[in-house]
Amino acid sequence: MENLKEIALKILEEACETDEVREDEELDLFEAGYLDSLGIVSVLLGIEEKCGIRLQPTDIQKEDISTVTNFVKYLEKKVQY
Amino acid sequence: MIPFTQYGSLLIIYIFTLLLIPAIIANLFQKKIKYYGIVLSIPMFILLLGLDSLAIKLFCVFIVCELILIIAYYYISKKISSEFVYFIVLGMSILPIFLVKLSVYTRFSGVGFIGISYISFRIWQLIIDIHDKHIEKLSFGTIIYFITFFPTLSSGPIDRYERFQQDANRVIPRTEYLTEYLGAGLRKIGKGIIYKFGFAFLINQYIILSLPDEHTIKTIIIYMYAYTLYLFFDFAGYSSMAIGSGYILGIKVMENFNKPFLARNMKEFWERWHISLSTWFGDYIYKRFVLNNMRNGLFKNKKNAARCGNMVTMLVMGIWHGPYLFYILYGLYEGIALVITDIYMKSKVYKNFKKRKYYNWLSRVVCFHVVAVGMLIFSGYLFSI
């Protein structure tokens, strides 16, 4: 079972189309231009693909994926249900 | 017809602000302001829609019907999880505004009331959120208050229910209210007055109205710049007054404009102009369109899905303004502008350009002009030749 953080990083990598997101876990991905509306959709699809959880755009707030750290926390919460 | 235009004159704003004084007193006694807000709503609707007019009757019927729909759907969705029911309910709630917008082409033209377009967004958002199981508890009074919140009745900003009800149900500590709500609210109202009755008024009075009736290249160009600036000051001014009044009532209404002419590309522009509308469209149309169509395999490629999503979303936005050709063209224009922006921002040209010193100001000038042409189409000026 792959560790959740690794899954989170893979999802973000795919959504942002770069592995640079691994470098700084506190970087605001929106401000840095790595994520936008389409990125959010990609993250949702990634969560569905890798964690089997189907979410809607309003199930995720901007703060939940603004940094790697926040996203890992968000995934932990979601996977628990 | 409408006896008062919301925020239409300084006198109306003055009276309106005075009417907000009991809200301040309510907070002084540490009570929820929403009780006063709900009470004040009734005279406000009468002022805005008339006491015995067709508009207020339609308004009441509309609100009651939509409310029944929302509450019924809430209880049904707890028992049955059905996409079919969801679409029927959504369809039924869209029907009234659809008919009202089309009625301009029939002999029933006068049907409708101010704010119907904006109220509808709040209703649809509630239905979608009930479907997504975002609404835990349905509070009848708060729902009505949310849908008909009068400071933002005529033209938004468009709020979201969960956020609104948290604000409405909160008793704000006195010092926080004084600085963050009352002080900030009054400043916003002041700013709104300067924008709308200062800048917008001057541009309209001394430029737009002095243009000759005849349309020439020269008048079109002048009109384009003037109208773009006029629209900004008028709408941002209105928004500021609406937001400020909302603040005094204890609701931190979201901002609608964030220095839009500083945008360096059309994507950034839509994050700075009519923000409550573009985020609503982004959350409820764009993202869902892309998400659903990538799930069902209509699009294999993310890029294509996104670009198609932009076209669809902007077209819907255009048509939402009204069933006129120039609104549809405006939607098409904005959609194409976003697609071109996407292609541009993924190109090497952009990556190199970004590093240049003159990138910021040159991008802003170009972007402003792209925006201005869009506003020219939106104004319908080209179609009244």
Side-chain angles (χ1 to χ4, degrees):
Chain A
M1 175 66 196
E2 234 180 332
N3 129 321
L4 201 63
K5 181 160 175 195
E6 186 53 37
I7 297 179
L9 279 168
K10 281 221 178 106
I11 294 176
L12 283 178
E13 239 183 57
E14 269 171 38
C16 304
E17 294 180 351
T18 171
D19 57 8
E20 282 170 29
V21 296
R22 289 181 180 258
E23 285 164 28
D24 180 357
E25 296 186 3
E26 296 302 323
L27 177 68
D28 187 317
L29 298 166
F30 289 99
E31 272 178 37
Y34 287 121
L35 274 185
D36 57 10
S37 296
L38 180 62
I40 297 177
V41 173
S42 305
V43 168
L44 292 172
L45 288 168
I47 295 176
E48 195 170 323
E49 202 194 325
K50 295 188 165 45
C51 308
I53 305 170
R54 191 174 233 228
L55 296 168
Q56 293 289 17
T58 33
D59 287 324
I60 195 167
Q61 305 295 329
K62 234 174 140 174
E63 303 81 59
D64 297 320
I65 36 175
S66 57
T67 68
V68 175
T69 316
N70 289 357
F71 184 52
V72 175
K73 277 196 218 140
Y74 174 79
L75 260 190
E76 279 168 2
K77 258 197 304 176
K78 283 293 170 198
V79 170
Q80 263 165 33
Y81 285 111
Chain B
M1 275 315 292
I2 308 161
F4 284 89
T5 323
Q6 208 173 15
Y7 312 110
S9 80
L10 288 171
L11 178 64
I12 294 174
I13 297 168
Y14 178 62
I15 298 175
F16 184 50
T17 315
L18 287 180
L19 285 173
L20 291 176
I21 292 177
I24 305 171
I25 298 174
N27 182 265
L28 203 62
F29 285 98
Q30 289 288 280
K31 297 270 175 281
K32 284 189 200 170
I33 304 176
K34 84 166 176 178
Y35 299 120
Y36 175 65
I38 295 176
V39 161
L40 186 58
S41 297
I42 299 170
M44 291 312 300
F45 297 146
I46 296 175
L47 278 174
L48 287 171
L49 299 164
L51 189 51
D52 197 32
S53 61
L54 177 64
I56 200 160
K57 291 176 186 145
L58 285 172
F59 176 72
C60 293
V61 170
F62 176 74
I63 297 291
V64 167
C65 291
E66 294 283 358
L67 221 71
I68 293 174
L69 200 60
I70 291 170
I71 296 174
Y73 183 57
Y74 175 73
Y75 286 110
I76 292 174
S77 70
K78 292 236 171 212
K79 303 259 165 59
I80 326 170
S81 226
S82 160
E83 291 300 289
F84 181 66
V85 172
Y86 173 50
F87 283 120
I88 297 280
V89 169
L90 214 48
M92 279 170 70
S93 77
I94 295 177
L95 193 63
I97 180 176
F98 185 68
L99 292 173
V100 162
K101 292 277 182 178
L102 283 181
S103 72
V104 289
Y105 286 126
T106 68
R107 58 188 176 91
F108 294 108
S109 207
V111 152
F113 51 85
I114 197 152
I116 185 173
S117 315
Y118 287 88
I119 292 181
S120 296
F121 280 124
R122 301 200 271 265
I123 293 173
W124 300 333
Q125 185 244 314
L126 269 173
I127 294 176
I128 296 173
D129 275 3
I130 291 174
H131 170 263
D132 291 348
K133 310 248 185 286
H134 272 288
I135 312 277
E136 291 147 17
K137 204 176 52 136
L138 215 64
S139 154
F140 190 71
T142 311
I143 293 226
I144 306 183
Y145 192 39
F146 166 68
I147 295 175
T148 60
F149 188 56
F150 61 85
T152 59
L153 188 70
S154 50
S155 305
I158 304 164
D159 211 338
R160 305 287 174 94
Y161 180 67
E162 275 305 306
R163 202 213 64 75
F164 178 89
Q165 69 92 12
Q166 268 168 30
D167 278 358
N169 287 315
R170 198 181 153 222
V171 175
I172 308 163
R174 287 190 197 94
T175 30
E176 188 186 335
Y177 177 77
L178 226 67
T179 45
E180 286 183 39
Y181 288 81
L182 181 59
L186 287 171
R187 277 197 304 275
K188 286 177 196 288
I189 293 178
K191 173 176 144 185
I193 291 175
I194 295 173
Y195 273 24
K196 187 175 157 82
F197 297 98
F199 296 118
F201 172 76
L202 290 170
I203 296 173
N204 192 39
Q205 194 75 357
Y206 294 107
I207 306 180
I208 297 181
L209 290 175
S210 346
L211 283 175
D213 284 336
E214 203 195 322
H215 291 19
T216 63
I217 300 283
K218 186 168 158 207
T219 65
I220 291 176
I221 293 178
I222 296 175
Y223 187 83
M224 179 181 84
Y225 286 114
Y227 181 78
T228 302
L229 290 169
Y230 164 77
L231 187 62
F232 168 68
F233 284 116
D234 188 71
F235 201 9
Y238 156 85
S239 300
S240 205
M241 289 188 276
I243 296 168
S245 322
Y247 270 52
I248 298 179
L249 286 167
I251 309 282
K252 276 205 172 157
V253 181
M254 71 183 286
E255 290 295 328
N256 237 359
F257 291 89
N258 177 17
K259 307 186 186 67
F261 299 131
L262 286 183
R264 283 157 295 197
N265 55 68
M266 289 308 284
K267 196 166 146 185
E268 192 185 340
F269 175 74
W270 283 107
E271 289 164 14
R272 291 171 174 273
W273 176 280
H274 207 172
I275 300 170
S276 67
L277 185 76
S278 60
T279 49
W280 198 98
F281 271 96
D283 283 341
Y284 293 99
I285 300 188
Y286 176 76
K287 285 185 194 149
R288 282 166 203 254
F289 176 85
V290 175
L291 191 60
N292 291 331
N293 287 314
M294 291 217 57
R295 276 179 181 151
N296 65 28
L298 182 65
F299 295 106
K300 304 286 191 314
N301 184 322
K302 233 176 17 178
K303 235 174 19 181
N304 293 338
R307 288 170 189 178
C308 200
N310 279 325
M311 285 303 311
V312 167
T313 307
M314 284 296 145
L315 258 170
V316 173
M317 188 200 63
I319 298 179
W320 165 78
H321 281 95
Y324 300 109
L325 180 62
F326 60 88
Y327 283 140
I328 298 174
L329 287 175
Y330 167 69
L332 266 172
Y333 175 84
E334 294 292 337
I336 294 171
L338 279 176
V339 173
I340 295 179
T341 302
D342 190 47
I343 298 173
Y344 158 67
M345 285 176 79
K346 294 198 155 64
S347 70
K348 284 219 186 74
V349 173
Y350 172 66
K351 293 192 192 345
N352 288 330
F353 182 37
K354 241 172 110 168
K355 300 178 193 145
R356 302 257 178 263
K357 263 204 302 192
Y358 50 81
Y359 165 71
N360 274 340
W361 71 260
L362 186 56
S363 302
R364 286 171 176 149
V365 169
V366 173
C367 188
F368 177 79
H369 284 85
V370 175
V371 167
V373 171
M375 295 304 157
L376 179 63
I377 302 173
F378 177 77
S379 70
Y381 185 72
L382 299 170
F383 289 78
S384 53
I385 294 174

